[in-house]
Amino acid sequence: QVQLVESGGGLVQPGGSLRLSCAASGFTFSNYIMRWYRQAPGKERELVAVIFSVNLSTNYADSVKGRFTISRDNSKNTVYLQMNSLKPEDTAVYYCNAAERLLRPRNNYWGQGTQVTVSS
């Protein structure tokens, strides 16, 4: 079955760093665009970062640009989100997403999320 399993979340002080991982299985990972989303309490789910499948092109939300880095290892079927200079407003549940393409994807998969809390 298809699975996306996030890990690496936790409690960190402002200015600290975390690296999230998302392990994928049950589909051809290398053919999929991978995205990280986040959702804070009382707010809508927000796209954080995107990485494409072949050329490894990336895009970031303005709120995280320069602080977060998305990467992938197709040999391990894993996508990562390196988060540096964390701020309290980064506190959210972070979700991994996989889709075949941006427009009209045939499949669109989600993980269960991992909690990131930034607090002193």
Side-chain angles (χ1 to χ4, degrees):
Q1 72 276 26
V2 171
Q3 285 194 85
L4 294 173
V5 181
E6 301 96 335
S7 62
L11 175 64
V12 64
Q13 294 184 349
S17 298
L18 287 173
R19 189 177 81 155
L20 306 184
S21 298
C22 173
S25 60
F27 64 97
T28 306
F29 178 83
S30 60
N31 291 340
Y32 278 69
I33 298 165
M34 301 300 299
R35 294 179 283 196
W36 286 97
Y37 288 79
R38 67 185 182 186
Q39 188 166 24
K43 295 187 176 180
E44 295 184 357
R45 190 167 297 187
E46 172 191 22
L47 177 63
V48 175
V50 182
I51 186 165
F52 290 89
S53 58
V54 178
N55 64 5
L56 303 182
S57 178
T58 59
N59 288 288
Y60 299 91
D62 288 342
S63 59
V64 308
K65 196 170 297 181
R67 300 187 297 120
F68 290 12
T69 303
I70 188 171
S71 61
R72 67 192 294 162
D73 186 341
N74 287 346
S75 71
K76 297 181 178 179
N77 287 1
T78 301
V79 62
Y80 305 95
L81 186 67
Q82 178 66 46
M83 305 185 295
N84 299 325
S85 302
L86 284 162
K87 304 175 180 179
E89 51 263 45
D90 295 318
T91 296
V93 177
Y94 284 71
Y95 297 92
C96 179
N97 168 262
E100 296 164 294
R101 58 188 295 170
L102 295 178
L103 298 176
R104 302 181 185 273
R106 184 174 295 106
N107 297 303
N108 194 6
Y109 306 127
W110 293 88
Q112 294 299 307
T114 185
Q115 176 71 49
V116 172
T117 302
V118 184
S119 177
S120 59

